[in-house]
Amino acid sequence: MRYVSTREQTRTVTFATALLRGLAPDGGLYVPQNIPTVNPGAWEKSTDFGTMATNVLTPWLADEVSEAELKSILKSAFSFPVPLVRIGQAWVMELFHGPTLSFKDFGARTMARLMNHFVDGEPLTILVATSGDTGSAVADGFSGLPNLRVAVLYPKGQVSSVQEQQLIVRREGVRAFAVKGTFDDCQAIVKTLLVSPGRLRLSAANSINVGRLLPQMLYYYWAFATGGWKIADVCVPCGNLGNLTAGVLAHLCGLPVRGFIAAHNANDGYPRYLTGERDAFGESIRTLSNAMDVGRPSNFERLKFMLSDDQMRHMIRGSSWSDDDTLASIRRVYEETGYIADPHTAIALAAARDAPDPVIVLSTAHPAKFPDTIKRALGSAPATASELTSLYAMPVRVQSIEANPNILRSKLEVWN
Ligand SMILES: *Cc1c(COP(=O)(O)O)cnc(C)c1O
């Protein structure tokens, strides 16, 4: 298996290189040069996620990771349940039972273990700028691995209380920095350090790393294996389109998806593109489903590389839902079924309502992460998840810094 950049395809790299670099040197995103075939035997009738994961990813990784190593990486990455539950007319695949209660745990935990496997010698410091779920998933997923350190940057005062607590909990090998600035300042600091690292050995963990796509394919297979269907639709709550891109990749490897539904909030550039509009993308808009607030989704470049416009429009249909629609969906789902959906899942459930049976809805976050929105919709907040209660009893560690890359560089050089 070799990987190429979406922009320049003459040079190919190994998976390890693509994983450790993140972005290609020409600014493009890494994509597989060829799509391997994954035989139905790899996933059909699977009853154990870790075993299925090893079978599905073996064609992808066999030339770089031994089967025994891969098995141990995936077993330790997927140490939580991934249930499929019937909610109304939909099948909801709950992807939020990992340690930080969002589906970002799938990508982060696997990427961390694979990076740790490929790094030798001096530890690699992973930088992550975050305004939400990614930072805590990365901090948690990378913590305690001997060859890796993590520096998490977030805009001071601009993340929710639960999100901040999840970021600053003291973790082995992780440092949290509250940057006096915006999310864009945090991202700019990361970019500056990656370009001029000084004595540091640095990489970044963000949503464009190809290392996230492989583990994110797995739960699509798992849904089909658990449901036992020969064919089904899948509805995906979308922001940066990484989740959808992973599903498309699984489909290109042979998974019998009848069609994808891309469910968006008011950031509707992709649905508008799918209906034929040109230049559909623009600035992002803030919504209640904030993990989907992306104006120019970076994985669009990957989808365009893998599929023609016609193929994409044939395979995927999009829709977009306002904040009022989101609240109405949370209310309706609760009244009809007693189920509490988080704002991101609520959008997908709204989008899946008119889909043919069976339809799988990917549920990306635990409702307890969004108590204010649930309270607005239902009149009372959901029960606090035990993972979140215990979070507030844990020791924290955070350093407040000016939005200046040199300050961060000197802190990382000392690492204390
Ligand atoms: C990141 C995220 C999304 C969007 O996923 P993309 O891969 O960026 O499209 C949806 N829901 C939640 C809860 C998320 O954290």
Side-chain angles (χ1 to χ4, degrees):
M1 282 290 306
R2 305 286 294 183
Y3 290 78
V4 293
S5 164
T6 44
R7 302 201 182 157
E8 193 266 335
Q9 285 108 49
T10 49
R11 247 175 310 204
T12 70
V13 299
T14 61
F15 174 73
T17 301
L19 176 76
L20 294 174
R21 277 194 192 153
L23 203 65
D26 61 7
L29 278 65
Y30 283 114
V31 280
Q33 188 180 32
N34 301 299
I35 306 281
T37 305
V38 176
N39 294 317
W43 51 273
E44 276 180 357
K45 303 197 176 73
S46 293
T47 53
D48 175 70
F49 196 98
T51 307
M52 183 209 73
T54 310
N55 294 339
V56 168
L57 291 185
T58 293
W60 287 88
L61 293 169
D63 25 326
E64 293 181 65
V65 189
S66 76
E67 192 178 336
E69 194 73 43
L70 184 61
K71 197 169 193 163
S72 117
I73 287 173
L74 295 172
K75 279 230 181 292
S76 111
F78 303 118
S79 53
F80 50 88
V82 190
L84 182 72
V85 293
R86 181 77 164 164
I87 302 298
Q89 94 303 355
W91 292 92
V92 172
M93 171 118 274
E94 293 186 344
L95 304 176
F96 54 73
H97 296 283
T100 70
L101 308 183
S102 92
F103 88 104
K104 298 289 196 298
D105 285 326
F106 284 82
R109 291 173 67 79
T110 311
M111 213 163 94
R113 283 158 179 77
L114 286 168
M115 278 186 170
N116 187 62
H117 173 76
F118 290 122
V119 172
D120 46 20
E122 206 172 315
L124 181 68
T125 303
I126 309 293
L127 303 178
V128 56
T130 185
S131 57
D133 293 329
T134 300
S136 53
V138 168
D140 191 87
F142 281 70
S143 162
L145 294 170
N147 303 328
L148 302 172
R149 295 167 172 170
V150 183
V152 180
L153 283 69
Y154 68 93
K156 189 171 183 161
Q158 290 181 43
V159 302
S160 77
S161 148
V162 174
Q163 282 172 333
E164 180 163 44
Q165 191 67 21
Q166 283 191 310
L167 290 172
I168 65 178
V169 161
R170 183 186 286 264
R171 295 181 175 94
E172 194 186 334
V174 179
R175 297 291 180 272
F177 296 94
V179 176
K180 293 175 192 157
T182 62
F183 173 62
D184 291 338
D185 293 327
C186 297
Q187 274 198 309
I189 293 174
V190 169
K191 278 196 188 135
T192 306
L193 288 195
L194 287 174
V195 174
S196 38
R199 291 189 276 119
L200 296 164
R201 192 174 175 207
L202 299 177
S203 186
N206 43 34
S207 58
I208 49 90
N209 195 300
V210 74
R212 276 198 185 181
L213 292 182
L214 303 193
Q216 290 187 175
M217 290 191 294
L218 296 171
Y219 42 75
Y220 288 87
Y221 288 97
W222 183 242
F224 276 75
T226 315
W229 304 295
K230 287 280 171 256
I231 195 157
D233 282 66
V234 189
C235 181
V236 187
C238 288
N240 210 23
L241 298 175
N243 207 354
L244 182 68
T245 303
V248 167
L249 216 48
H251 180 50
L252 295 177
C253 294
L255 189 71
V257 178
R258 183 170 39 205
F260 290 95
I261 303 165
H264 288 253
N265 60 26
N267 292 278
D268 62 353
Y270 189 59
R272 290 201 282 122
Y273 156 82
L274 289 173
T275 57
E277 229 175 279
R278 287 158 165 270
D279 304 322
F281 299 100
E283 293 301 303
S284 69
I285 301 164
R286 292 191 70 147
T287 74
L288 295 175
S289 45
N290 60 0
M292 290 157 51
D293 294 350
V294 182
R296 301 176 202 281
S298 37
N299 281 293
F300 182 62
E301 186 165 332
R302 279 202 173 103
L303 287 169
K304 285 278 275 185
F305 181 87
M306 299 194 300
L307 304 170
S308 68
D309 285 349
D310 277 354
Q311 283 174 312
M312 202 166 358
R313 288 172 177 148
H314 184 72
M315 190 185 291
I316 306 163
R317 72 190 167 81
S319 60
S320 126
W321 306 81
S322 68
D323 278 352
D324 282 345
D325 296 333
T326 308
L327 293 167
S329 176
I330 295 173
R331 212 171 293 129
R332 178 175 194 165
V333 170
Y334 183 70
E335 280 163 6
E336 288 178 0
T337 69
Y339 189 74
I340 302 182
D342 93 281
H344 308 80
T345 307
I347 286 180
L349 282 165
R353 272 189 91 84
D354 59 355
D357 191 62
V359 58
I360 300 157
V361 169
L362 299 185
S363 173
T364 47
H366 195 297
K369 286 187 99 166
F370 304 92
D372 300 340
T373 302
I374 303 292
K375 190 167 180 191
R376 236 174 103 183
L378 301 182
S380 59
T384 310
S386 59
E387 291 88 340
L388 297 181
T389 322
S390 50
L391 208 60
Y392 284 92
M394 292 179 186
V396 299
R397 172 175 191 147
V398 59
Q399 301 173 62
S400 210
I401 61 167
E402 300 295 329
N404 177 339
N406 295 325
I407 294 177
L408 184 67
R409 189 189 293 106
S410 53
K411 294 215 177 257
L412 295 182
E413 281 170 354
V414 181
W415 196 263
N416 59 17

